[in-house]
Amino acid sequence: MTNPTSSDSGQSRQTTPPIEDLIRLVACYSNRDQVEAAGFTFGTDLKIGNVAAIDSRGRWRVGVVVRIGRLNAAVEYTTEGAIRDAADPRSSWTEPFRSIKTARFADIAVRPAAGPALSGDGATASARLDG
């Protein structure tokens, strides 16, 4: 079995998207139809840094593709609740909690980007989503 982060996988670079990008991408959809209506496409080629929607706990969460294996990909996202918790002065969190969910390629929807994929190099998600 090939290690999905090995140099021969073609997508070996692991990225951690800036929390600002994840906050800009926060969205939650109830079902697959809503995901498609929002402009996401299932069954397209995934690349690290793509904006993607993934099913997590019965909701579709929007985040960034951070790892790609032979059969699955991982999407990192944050939620509105995590952002509220981090903003609460009684909380010990200073940054919203990040979640990572893995699913098969066919179960991840990608939003076509107007420009290059997010790279974690300071590019903002809002610039990629305009248009």
Side-chain angles (χ1 to χ4, degrees):
M1 186 164 131
T2 304
N3 180 352
T5 58
S6 68
S7 60
D8 60 78
S9 70
Q11 300 245 351
S12 62
R13 186 175 60 102
Q14 284 192 355
T15 61
T16 301
I19 194 66
E20 294 82 15
D21 284 350
L22 294 180
I23 290 171
R24 284 186 194 96
L25 292 173
V26 168
C28 182
Y29 302 102
S30 297
N31 56 49
R32 194 174 172 120
D33 292 337
Q34 288 181 346
V35 172
E36 290 174 333
F40 289 88
T41 307
F42 289 89
T44 60
D45 290 332
L46 295 175
K47 293 179 181 60
I48 291 178
N50 282 144
V51 174
I54 191 166
D55 185 20
S56 178
R57 297 183 179 181
R59 296 289 216 187
W60 288 87
R61 309 288 181 173
V62 177
V64 176
V65 176
V66 292
R67 283 191 302 271
I68 297 178
R70 287 182 19 204
L71 302 173
N72 298 326
V75 176
E76 185 170 344
Y77 62 90
T78 190
T79 63
E80 291 178 5
I83 294 168
R84 278 192 304 272
D85 290 346
D88 188 340
R90 299 171 294 176
S91 172
S92 61
W93 295 99
T94 58
E95 182 175 285
F97 185 76
R98 299 166 180 250
S99 297
I100 295 179
K101 175 77 177 180
T102 303
R104 294 191 179 275
F105 298 137
D107 296 331
I108 299 175
V110 176
R111 177 178 283 159
L118 296 175
S119 62
D121 61 359
T124 62
S126 60
R128 303 292 191 268
L129 300 177
D130 292 341

